[in-house]
Amino acid sequence: MPATTFDVFRYQPDSSDTPYRQEFALDHSDKVTLLDALLQIQDEQDGSIAMRYSCRSAICGSCSCKANGRTVLACMAQVEEIKEADGSDTIQVDPIGNFAPVKDLIVDLDPFWEKFRSVKPYLIPDGKAPEKERIVSKEAMNKVYNESKCILCAACYSECNSLAADPDFVGPAALAWGYRFAGDERDGQRKQRAKLYSGEHGLWDCTRCMYCNERCPKGVEPRDAIEKLGGVAFREGVSWGDAGARHARAFLVSVRTGGKLNETLLVPFTNPVTAPLDAPFALQMIRKGKAPSPLPHRIKKLNEVKHLMKNVKEEV
Ligand code: SF4
Ligand code: SF4
């Protein structure tokens, strides 16, 4: 029978304001999930351990926590697999990141729900409601299928670098829900949504670290949804107000016209007002060969790049 030590984050504000860690040694079956192991500890060793869970089937999204620093759904994560991945018989268990702890593994999810509500996560169709129903094709629904799989477990928020830097960032799950409806052909608010999601703390604040894609237990790929929302913002003509949007557009123009990225041109396109202040520094970098020349340059096989970009555009 395998044995594991669980090094659990404890925070019991009723008795002390100071969090601490507590180790529990457990003999368990070789197919136990992290959630079942924690419940066994709660049952046999310490009934005061607080955690959220409900369905035990990766559907309710309640039991997300960190195992050895990586956010998982406790009901999906196999104890033996975690140990094997990290080469250790001890598993550190922590509450999810980027949220204030309330008690042990329970965190305050209010900011998460506020952000979720802020993106208007429901269909807002134009015109009069049909007598029976709005028919939509399978192909059209496939475009938002990934985003529809979200179970609101907040694992992506736990890993999000932008949220760590800016707690007001609307975040990956809410934006994935935004695309769920902005990408739905029955919705009549595409432009309004593009404006709503492109504002301060919105989609352009994502650092593209990809951790949300990596840790999402349901394959929602929220970073991809944010990418698609950026496309909606461009198509709806609401992408000039934000430096992130201008940066993305400058990137695109640079590759389309020259066949490669010209980093030197990104600065004036992204921040036209403050860019002159960076001119002496930029000139110094160019002189030392640390930055490409801002003069137009085209690669020989520019047509191949354009062809590639056209294919990608058609696929999206
Ligand atoms: S996008 Fe994935 S990780 Fe984020 S809340 Fe939804 S299911 Fe959880
Ligand atoms: S890719 Fe963007 S939204 Fe996803 S975790 Fe990184 S910063 Fe957050």
Side-chain angles (χ1 to χ4, degrees):
M1 183 176 270
T4 305
T5 302
F6 293 87
D7 173 6
V8 182
F9 173 91
R10 302 299 311 267
Y11 176 53
Q12 299 269 330
D14 288 345
S15 51
S16 165
D17 286 342
T18 312
Y20 61 100
R21 303 200 73 87
Q22 190 172 2
E23 289 195 351
F24 300 93
L26 189 74
D27 294 332
H28 53 80
S29 78
D30 56 357
K31 292 281 183 223
V32 76
T33 64
L34 178 58
L35 178 62
D36 282 338
L38 290 171
L39 289 173
Q40 195 180 334
I41 292 169
Q42 194 188 48
D43 186 37
E44 296 171 0
Q45 301 186 37
D46 188 338
S48 72
I49 294 180
M51 62 188 143
R52 284 195 182 105
Y53 70 98
S54 181
C55 73
R56 302 188 185 195
S57 307
I59 290 170
C60 73
S62 307
C63 65
S64 45
C65 64
K66 281 191 172 184
N68 289 344
R70 294 183 298 274
T71 307
V72 294
L73 272 189
C75 69
M76 267 177 91
Q78 288 288 328
V79 166
E80 289 309 297
E81 285 175 13
I82 300 170
K83 284 160 62 181
E84 200 181 313
D86 294 314
S88 167
D89 285 338
T90 298
I91 298 179
Q92 282 200 341
V93 186
D94 288 274
I96 55 174
N98 289 328
F99 291 99
V102 171
K103 190 175 185 182
D104 294 339
L105 301 177
I106 295 176
V107 297
D108 177 11
L109 283 170
D110 281 357
F112 178 75
W113 298 119
E114 272 165 34
K115 288 169 186 177
F116 172 62
R117 279 191 290 270
S118 77
V119 299
K120 302 192 177 177
Y122 39 82
L123 207 61
I124 312 177
D126 264 347
K128 217 170 130 232
E131 237 170 64
K132 213 169 167 196
E133 58 188 321
R134 292 178 199 274
I135 308 286
V136 60
S137 70
K138 189 166 173 250
E139 289 70 32
M141 283 318 290
N142 278 346
K143 289 188 180 162
V144 291
Y145 173 68
N146 248 14
E147 292 75 19
S148 312
K149 293 188 294 189
C150 175
I151 56 169
L152 294 166
C153 67
C156 51
Y157 279 55
S158 170
E159 301 280 336
C160 179
N161 280 320
S162 286
L163 265 174
D166 170 17
D168 291 328
F169 175 49
V170 70
L175 289 169
W177 278 85
Y179 184 74
R180 157 68 189 86
F181 293 100
D184 190 314
E185 67 173 23
R186 295 166 295 180
D187 198 77
Q189 298 274 307
R190 209 149 289 118
K191 192 172 193 115
Q192 293 87 332
R193 287 186 189 278
K195 276 188 193 157
L196 179 65
Y197 310 152
S198 299
E200 208 184 352
H201 314 298
L203 72 101
W204 300 109
D205 285 5
C206 163
T207 63
R208 304 171 183 83
C209 70
M210 307 302 278
Y211 282 126
C212 54
N213 276 16
E214 197 180 305
R215 300 308 321 163
C216 171
K218 303 301 278 188
V220 171
E221 299 179 330
R223 170 56 218 165
D224 293 23
I226 295 171
E227 194 86 39
K228 289 182 257 180
L229 272 184
V232 173
F234 278 132
R235 282 192 292 278
E236 296 296 331
V238 292
S239 57
W240 284 106
D242 188 277
R246 290 194 297 271
H247 186 77
R249 188 179 284 274
F251 201 107
L252 197 67
V253 170
S254 167
V255 176
R256 192 190 290 139
T257 54
K260 65 177 187 179
L261 178 64
N262 187 330
E263 289 100 337
T264 314
L265 288 179
L266 286 187
V267 181
F269 272 104
T270 306
N271 286 313
V273 178
T274 57
L277 301 174
D278 293 324
F281 179 62
L283 281 174
Q284 220 176 342
M285 283 186 71
I286 293 169
R287 242 184 265 126
K288 301 270 180 194
K290 300 283 182 193
S293 161
L295 298 175
H297 174 86
R298 288 179 176 201
I299 63 163
K300 282 188 185 138
K301 300 205 169 177
L302 181 57
N303 277 344
E304 283 183 22
V305 174
K306 283 186 175 173
H307 193 62
L308 205 60
M309 289 179 83
K310 187 168 167 279
N311 284 351
V312 171
K313 199 173 171 189
E314 275 165 15
E315 268 196 29
V316 175

